[in-house]
Every structure is written in structure tokens, then in C-alpha cells.
Amino acid sequence: MTPLAFTREGRLVRVVEVRGGRGLTRRLAEVGFTPGSTLRVVSSSRGPVVVELCYSSASRCSSCGSCWRLALSFGLAMKVMVEEVESVERT
Amino acid sequence: MSAHRGSQATRRFKLALVGNPNVGKSVIYNEITGGDAWVGNWPGTTVEKKVGRAVIGGVEFEVVDLPGIYSLSAYTLDEEVAVRFLVEEKPDLVVVILNAVNLERSLYLLLSVLEVGVRVVAALNMIDLAEGQGYKVRSDVLEELLGIRVIPTVAVKGVGIEELRKAILDTLSEPPSTYKVNYGVDVERAIEGLASKIKGYEPAGAKLNVRWLASRLLEEDKYAVELVERLNPELLKVAEEHRRRIEKTLGRPLDEYVVERRYEEASKIASKALIKAGVKKLSLTSLIDYAVTHKVFGIPIMLTAVYLMFRLAFDVATPLCTLVDYAFSSYLPSLISSLPMPEFASSLIGDGVVAGVGSVLIFLPNIALLFLALALLEDVGYLARAAFVVDKVMHKLKLTGKSIIPLLLGFGCNIPGVMATRAIEDEQDRKTTALATPMISCAARLPVYLVFAGALFTAYRGSVVFSMYLWSVIFAALTAIILRKALFKGVSTGFIIELPPYMAPQAKSVCFKTWLRCKRFLLKAGTVIVAVVVVVWLLSVTGPSGYLGVGALEDPELIEQSWIGVVGHWLEPIFTPMGWDWRASSALLVGFLAKEAVVGAMGVLYGVGEEGLSGAIASSFTPLTAYAYMLFVLLYVPCVATLATIRGEMGFKYALLALAYELALAYSVAALCVGVGHLLGVA
């Protein structure tokens, strides 16, 4: 389990937990960071992180790119704990 | 409802628009209202409020555009404004705009709105994009599952708008939504128990949706707690007991669980309504994002975009500015002086009012083009990326990526810059940015640099002017760091920025945004600056001895007797260390009111007009004192209109703080500049 901020580009990860106060956990949950949701790390460079959340197919989505893209500040990305689902090469 | 029906002919119905950010809400708003909008603030906040009028099938509507939000949980200011409106103002109908490309998240918001118990029509927008990405959304399935009308639309092309208008009219006679998300046995039981307790305290005729209130109370929603506390504080204790009991069974926080249940419901509905039609195309968004958010290329790309934006704003605007300048400083004044009028009145109108209006309009071409360029970048989807790209740099300056937009606008004029800080959610970040923005060298300061640099630094003119812009950025950064250290110590809560898919800009939407922002600038800046120029005029033609006559505007001997001249003399000793005479001090006084007026005022004070000013400056300043003067003009006090804007956005206290801070900073920097210069033996 690693903070989202330290994941590498192109990886598919699953949210394990969000470590924040009530307000923060909830704010993140409402934009899609709920435990169990999968997301794809689009860009990550020890700064803000761009992730892609995919709902449309409710399953793995590795190439559509049409899903919701969110940029998260480094501070927030440190609070989202994730585990890697599989390694996928960037397309 | 029956009460509505009887008086439908005369009654104006209240319609609210709700949707996620970037869902095309403004476009639908324009389509429904015809673009007419009253823009202001929600009471007690800086959240923008847009209200317009629409007539649909002979029925009159007041249309309220609620801020773009993801949920109704009163966590952010935008959400609080929206939920308050829905509960307290009880709109007759709510149009929820869904994003076909992001159905699940849109449905989450829609469910939250349905739970409030209002009449809802949904617009399923951007169906063309969804189809382009290889799937279809079945609006009929959504209608059946949700029990409301769902109209597919492509708002930017006007598709589905007629159907939407018709659905609005039809739904008006339907009962409000009774949609319920099932939260599971334990929570449902608690909601029921709590709801019946709340019902007991409900004032007659309040028409509260007690189920909604009870469920939100269990979630500890800030707004629900506030509402219930007003009914009876005892209820909070009951809710607390329920929550503790449920959390023990669940083994986790209740609000998290509730959000998750709502999300589950949303995704269940979404999966039933979505049909995959074909093969997905490789998304353009991915490709562009790869380039523009790139570690190495991201910043150069952003700088290029900003550079092009400024070229557009300043190069294209120059002929327009010249035209405005000609109209207001040559054509109109000579026209007015040719009219049969007493000298006093003619000067008041010509040198006061017309000059004042002119000094606002002279910036309009620059600012309108900056607004246009920003609206373009925003609609294309780049602005969100730019904020992301610069975040790392801005973080070092203790600002956020979102601060970049106010700071960029500040180069045109500080006023729209300060106003644009509204988009920053974090209170501390917002205030820091708003107070750093006036350090950015606006277009009004440029003429001062040009005259001084031209008079004393002929060979290095360009570099000297450029150095001023460099200083302005340095001091803005410094100000942010100081404010963060001294005043706004809290840690920034961090940002979540949505990166919407790239889209071709729509002329309609870009023009509308530009026009709305220009209008607001003209209203805000216009009133203050025109008033200020009239005051400067008045202070120039009157003095301690009374009315001096309008000749003072051309006669250096006479203007020395005016208030402007007299105060300049009072100020002179303060500026002696820098080597500035009373005329330079008087010009600073004028510049406090409006910085673009410094050059004109100096022309009058030295009795040479603007044409001979270079010579006059060259003889009364040395390169060193001139450079210090330019620094002082850059830093000392934001103009009155900017101060008024700071006051409007943040309160009187902060306007005073900005005034005091900038005066002190400008004085120290100018004195330091002269001191260091002398030490180094520069004259």
C-alpha cells in the first residue's frame, strides 16, 4: 500500500483507504475516491498527480481516456492510499 | 401545487439549473434565457449568482444558475449556496444537467437533488461526445428508473433545447419527486425514527422534507445540522445516538457509508442505461494531455500559450486603444470646448467626466482581448491543465495553481485579477492571491515606465521597462511568501481540479463569457475611476484660496496653488531622500487615484504638456532617482478602484492592510534603491 502521490505513471491502482479528516474523506469520496474504486495514474512527478477515474464500463478501462480526469494536489495525493492492480504500459 | 395552478397566468415560476462543473450549464442557461443575465453575488459570499428571465409557452420563469457542484453536501461554499437555495427558496422546478460522458458522477448529483424532493427535469448533455467515444446512453431507461423526464441534448449545437423547454412546461404540473435511495435496513430505520421526531418540531407550513433532513442529519451535514438546531437542539443528540449505534454495527463512519451507497445506486443506474456501441477510438484528450502536462514540456507550452495570449491582448488592442485615445483626448474635448457653455462646466465635462470615461475605456481593448483569450483557453479545456502545470512552481511561492489566472489578468488590470480570485476554493489561498495581485504591473503603469525610460535611459530603454515587469513578479512572489508566513498560516487544503475533455471552442459560449466579464469590469472600474478623475479635476482647479479657475490645468504657477500642488509641497520632505521635488510628489498623489494619470499630471505640473515631458524629466531626475520613482510607481498602493475591489471581495480591514503594506514597501524599496545607488557611486 502506497500513497497515490508515489505511484508511477501508467499504473492502474485501487483505492484502499483515504486518510483524512471527515470532511476531506468525504470530499474525496464524492469525486470518486472511495475504497475499492480503481483509477489510472496519468501523470505523477512528485507534484500534483493526474488520475483517470473510469465508471463508464464499471470494469477495467485502460485506453478510453474519455473518463473523468482529475488533478490532485500533492498534499491530497499523499492522503489517498492505493495498491497496484496490474502494470499496464502507457499507450 | 393546486394553488400554483390557479394563478399560473400571473405567477412567475422559479427555475434553477444544477450541474457538475464543465457540463455545459452556461450554454443551456443561455439557450433558455436568451443570454440575458443579472450577475451578482449570493448574499454574504463571493460566489457568483446569475439570474435571468425566460418565457416558455407563455409561462414566465425566473431562471437561477446555481454554481457548478459535485454534490449537495455543504462542504464547499458553492455546494452550500446550492443546497440553501433548493431548500429555502423552494424553486418550482430544477433542471439537472447530466454529462453523458460522465454519467455516474452526474447521476450522483441528480440523486442528491431528487432526495431534496423537488420537481426535476434532467438534460442529458454531450450525447454527441459519448457517441463519439463509442457508447450510447438510453434516456428512456433513465426516465423509467428515475421517474422523471430525461431529455438528450447537445447544448452547444442547440440540439434538444426545444424538447427540454417543453419538458419543463409539462413537469410543472407534476408532483415533486419522491425518489428514495435505499440506505439499508439499519440506516433506513434511523432515518424514519429521526424524521418523525423532526416532524414533531416542524413549524406549521414549513413544508420541510423531513426524510431528507433526517438522512442529512445522520451524515452530519453542516447545513442540516444548522437547520435542525434551529428547530430544537435536542434533536442533534437523538441523531448522535442513532449515528453512534449504526457506526458500531457498520464499523466505519456513517457519512462515508451513505456517500458510497448513493454512488452504488448511481453506478447501478448508469450501467443499466449505458450501451457500448462500437470500438473506442484512441482519445485525443489522452494525447494532448500527454504533451501539455509533460514534466519537461508542460511549462514551456504554458509559457508559450501565455505569451501568445499577451501578444493578442496588446498587439491587436493597440490600434483600438489609439482610436479610443484619439476620441477621448482630442476629438471629444475639442467638440465640448466648441459648445456654448460656461468655462467651468465645459472643463468639468471635458477634463473631468470625458477624460474619466476615456481613462476606463482606454484599457477596455486590452482587457476584453485578455478575457477573450482566457475564455478560449477555458472552453478548449487548457486552463485547467495550466493550473495543474504551474502548481508545482506556485507551491514554492505558497500559492496554488489556480492563482495563475488572477495573476495573469493582473497584467491587464488588477481589478479583474482580484475579482478572479473567487475561483480559488481555499480561503487562505484566495486572500493571499488577492493581496499579491496588485503587485503585478498593470497596463496603467506602463505609460509611466515608457516616459521615464525614454527620457533617461535611451539606450537601455527596453531593458529598463522589462526590468519593471521582472520586479513586479518578484514582489508578487515575495508578498505571497510574507503573507503566508505572517498572516495566513494555515496549510492549504489542497486542490482537486477536473481536467475536462478537450473540445473545440464554441463562439457563442466564448463571446458570452467575455461579454459578461467585460460588463462586470466596466461597472466596477467604470464607476470608481470616473468618480476619481472628476475628483482629481476638482482638486486641480481649487486650492486653499478657493476656486482657481480652469486655467490651472495648463498653468504650472497656478496649479502650484491648487490642492494638488499644496499637498505635493507637504509631501516633498518625505521624498527628499529620493531626490524627488514637489511636482513628482503631486503626481504620485494623482497616481494613487488612478495610475495612468501620473504622466498627464506631470505634464501639467511641469508646465510642458505631455510632449515636452521627456525634457522636463531629464532635467529634474537623474537615472537613479528616476529608476527609484518607477519602482515606487510600481509598488505604492493599488489604485483606488483596486482598493475598492479588495474591500468588496475581502472587507475593509484587508483594503487598509493592502494600502499600508504597499506604501511601506514602495517607500523602503525606493529608498533602498537610491541608497544602494549612492553607495555604488551611481548618480
Side-chain angles (χ1 to χ4, degrees):
Chain A
M1 198 165 69
T2 48
L4 179 61
F6 294 143
T7 50
R8 276 196 282 150
E9 289 184 5
R11 299 300 162 92
L12 204 61
V13 296
R14 184 181 294 120
V15 178
V16 180
E17 64 169 312
V18 177
R19 292 182 178 163
R22 246 173 204 250
L24 183 67
T25 311
R26 172 161 188 165
R27 184 177 168 207
L28 284 166
E30 282 177 340
V31 292
F33 292 90
T34 45
S37 60
T38 45
L39 38 105
R40 190 180 166 71
V41 183
V42 176
S43 130
S44 167
S45 51
R46 300 285 147 119
V49 177
V50 178
V51 296
E52 200 168 80
L53 288 105
C54 208
Y55 308 121
S56 55
S57 53
S59 64
R60 307 271 167 283
C61 163
S62 55
S63 66
C64 86
S66 66
C67 307
W68 191 18
R69 285 192 171 207
L70 281 177
L72 226 64
S73 65
F74 185 75
L76 289 186
M78 282 297 288
K79 294 187 171 120
V80 179
M81 304 304 288
V82 297
E83 62 186 9
E84 215 165 284
V85 175
E86 59 186 288
S87 305
V88 188
E89 282 305 302
R90 168 180 278 287
T91 43
Chain B
M1 186 58 214
S2 53
H4 291 167
R5 310 253 60 205
S7 54
Q8 191 162 324
T10 50
R11 190 170 174 274
R12 192 192 269 196
F13 289 91
K14 218 178 262 177
L15 182 76
L17 298 190
V18 177
N20 293 149
N22 307 307
V23 73
K25 196 158 57 69
S26 324
V27 184
I28 291 192
Y29 173 87
N30 289 346
E31 290 286 347
I32 292 179
T33 60
D36 154 63
W38 171 88
V39 180
N41 284 356
W42 291 92
T45 70
T46 51
V47 177
E48 191 176 284
K49 181 179 188 179
K50 218 157 70 179
V51 183
R53 235 178 53 98
V55 178
I56 303 173
V59 180
E60 217 179 306
F61 288 90
E62 182 185 86
V63 186
V64 180
D65 192 12
L66 291 172
I69 47 175
Y70 295 118
S71 79
L72 282 181
S73 59
Y75 183 73
T76 67
L77 208 55
D78 285 352
E79 289 166 1
E80 194 181 326
V81 161
V83 71
R84 253 176 216 283
F85 181 83
L86 293 183
V87 173
E88 287 166 25
E89 307 262 329
K90 300 193 172 63
D92 298 286
L93 193 134
V94 180
V95 176
V96 178
I97 294 130
L98 309 175
N99 183 348
V101 183
N102 259 310
L103 195 56
E104 187 154 345
R105 179 168 47 105
S106 296
L107 286 174
Y108 179 85
L109 178 64
L110 175 63
L111 291 179
S112 311
V113 176
L114 286 173
E115 284 186 306
V116 177
V118 283
R119 260 175 234 104
V120 173
V121 170
L124 179 62
N125 201 22
M126 308 206 214
I127 42 167
D128 54 337
L129 283 181
E131 276 163 24
Q133 279 159 11
Y135 53 93
K136 253 182 108 80
V137 183
R138 288 192 51 187
S139 58
D140 54 328
V141 174
L142 290 177
E143 286 193 334
E144 196 183 315
L145 291 172
L146 295 163
I148 57 165
R149 296 290 310 277
V150 179
I151 313 296
T153 59
V154 183
V156 288
K157 292 180 187 142
V159 175
I161 300 299
E162 248 342 284
E163 291 84 344
L164 181 63
R165 291 162 69 98
K166 196 176 167 306
I168 290 171
L169 207 55
D170 293 345
T171 309
L172 219 46
S173 49
E174 302 283 326
S177 156
T178 51
Y179 192 91
K180 284 180 191 143
V181 175
N182 188 344
Y183 292 108
V185 186
D186 284 337
V187 179
E188 285 296 330
R189 205 174 292 146
I191 290 176
E192 251 166 61
L194 205 51
S196 65
K197 277 240 167 57
I198 295 174
K199 192 121 194 108
Y201 292 104
E202 187 188 4
K207 287 197 196 146
L208 286 172
N209 182 344
V210 287
R211 179 189 155 86
W212 172 80
L213 202 52
S215 67
R216 290 297 165 142
L217 190 59
L218 284 175
E219 284 178 56
E220 278 181 297
D221 180 70
K222 203 172 92 198
Y223 176 60
V225 169
E226 185 195 310
L227 271 182
V228 171
E229 203 167 16
R230 253 185 275 157
L231 295 180
N232 189 334
E234 282 299 306
L235 288 167
L236 296 182
K237 276 189 206 141
V238 182
E240 184 62 37
E241 276 163 31
H242 278 296
R243 180 169 49 246
R244 225 173 282 149
R245 187 172 42 75
I246 299 169
E247 283 186 353
K248 207 175 266 169
T249 349
L250 289 174
R252 53 190 294 208
L254 179 59
D255 60 337
E256 213 182 289
Y257 168 80
V258 167
V259 170
E260 220 174 279
R261 284 305 288 243
R262 215 175 287 136
Y263 244 115
E264 268 169 31
E265 181 112 344
S267 56
K268 220 163 59 197
I269 297 171
S271 65
K272 280 183 190 153
L274 277 172
I275 303 167
K276 265 208 189 96
V279 191
K280 290 172 200 155
K281 281 185 250 165
L282 182 66
S283 147
L284 193 61
T285 295
S286 289
L287 281 174
I288 304 177
D289 264 355
Y290 182 65
V292 302
T293 64
H294 193 273
K295 265 176 255 184
V296 182
F297 304 123
I299 297 249
I301 289 175
M302 194 217 62
L303 290 176
T304 311
V306 169
Y307 174 74
L308 288 175
M309 190 173 91
F310 277 106
R311 285 301 292 264
L312 174 76
F314 287 92
D315 291 1
V316 178
T318 308
L320 292 170
C321 292
T322 316
L323 201 71
V324 173
D325 191 36
Y326 171 75
F328 282 88
S329 61
S330 307
Y331 179 70
L332 282 175
S334 66
L335 183 78
I336 288 161
S337 60
S338 71
L339 296 174
M341 252 192 300
E343 200 186 32
F344 175 82
S346 143
S347 175
L348 172 63
I349 296 173
D351 302 319
V353 178
V354 169
V357 173
S359 70
V360 175
L361 289 185
I362 190 92
F363 297 113
L364 188 62
N366 279 328
I367 287 165
L369 284 165
L370 261 186
F371 281 155
L372 181 77
L374 276 176
L376 259 172
L377 290 179
E378 186 182 344
D379 277 22
V380 166
Y382 182 67
L383 218 49
R385 272 84 179 175
F388 162 75
V389 167
V390 295
D391 187 72
K392 226 171 162 179
V393 181
M394 299 301 262
H395 202 74
K396 296 219 168 69
L397 307 178
K398 310 293 175 209
L399 291 172
T400 90
K402 286 189 179 176
S403 309
I404 191 73
I405 295 157
L407 294 175
L408 286 179
L409 278 173
F411 282 109
C413 174
N414 292 167
I415 297 160
V418 173
M419 291 199 286
T421 56
R422 290 175 181 189
I424 302 169
E425 302 114 344
D426 186 83
E427 189 71 6
Q428 311 268 351
D429 285 341
R430 189 170 69 82
K431 287 182 172 161
T432 310
T433 311
L435 291 176
T437 301
M439 293 282 141
I440 295 293
S441 188
C442 63
R445 290 172 230 190
L446 184 60
V448 184
Y449 309 151
L450 289 178
V451 168
F452 275 80
L456 288 157
F457 298 96
T458 32
Y460 308 103
R461 200 170 43 195
S463 322
V464 165
V465 172
F466 181 73
S467 75
M468 283 299 136
Y469 281 90
L470 218 57
W471 284 121
S472 101
V473 173
I474 293 172
F475 282 110
L478 223 67
T479 302
I481 294 171
I482 293 171
L483 285 173
R484 271 299 194 182
K485 280 245 158 73
L487 211 54
F488 306 122
K489 287 182 193 148
V491 185
S492 164
T493 47
F495 66 82
I496 303 173
I497 307 175
E498 184 186 355
L499 307 179
Y502 290 100
M503 259 187 277
Q506 301 293 323
K508 228 189 210 169
S509 152
V510 170
C511 291
F512 183 70
K513 271 184 191 153
T514 309
W515 159 239
L516 220 58
R517 286 170 192 169
C518 284
K519 194 166 107 183
R520 207 163 57 181
F521 164 74
L522 284 178
L523 286 176
K524 189 103 194 176
T527 42
V528 180
I529 295 178
V530 172
V532 156
V533 174
V534 172
V535 168
V536 170
W537 176 83
L538 211 65
L539 291 177
S540 313
V541 298
T542 59
S545 59
Y547 181 57
L548 300 170
V550 298
L553 294 176
E554 270 134 38
D555 183 353
E557 307 272 312
L558 208 51
I559 201 160
E560 197 171 350
Q561 315 284 317
S562 73
W563 284 115
I564 296 277
V566 169
V567 176
H569 275 293
W570 291 345
L571 294 174
E572 194 181 3
I574 304 175
F575 295 120
T576 310
M578 277 83 117
W580 306 336
D581 63 7
W582 70 270
R583 298 180 187 88
S585 314
S586 290
L588 288 177
L589 180 70
V590 174
F592 165 53
L593 302 171
K595 289 196 176 180
E596 67 274 20
V598 169
V599 174
M602 285 190 128
V604 176
L605 289 159
Y606 285 99
V608 288
E610 284 186 37
E611 303 75 35
L613 194 54
S614 282
I617 287 174
S619 60
S620 23
F621 284 85
T622 67
L624 182 63
T625 58
Y627 199 76
Y629 195 79
M630 288 160 76
L631 278 173
F632 195 88
V633 170
L634 164 66
L635 298 173
Y636 90 120
V637 304
C639 66
V640 169
T642 306
L643 270 185
T645 313
I646 295 178
R647 194 190 70 101
E649 298 290 311
M650 303 163 67
F652 192 64
K653 202 176 84 188
Y654 288 104
L656 266 185
L657 176 81
L659 183 67
Y661 166 73
E662 293 188 20
L663 269 177
L665 180 71
Y667 193 84
S668 333
V669 169
L672 198 69
C673 170
V674 173
V676 171
H678 281 316
L679 275 181
L680 297 175
V682 187

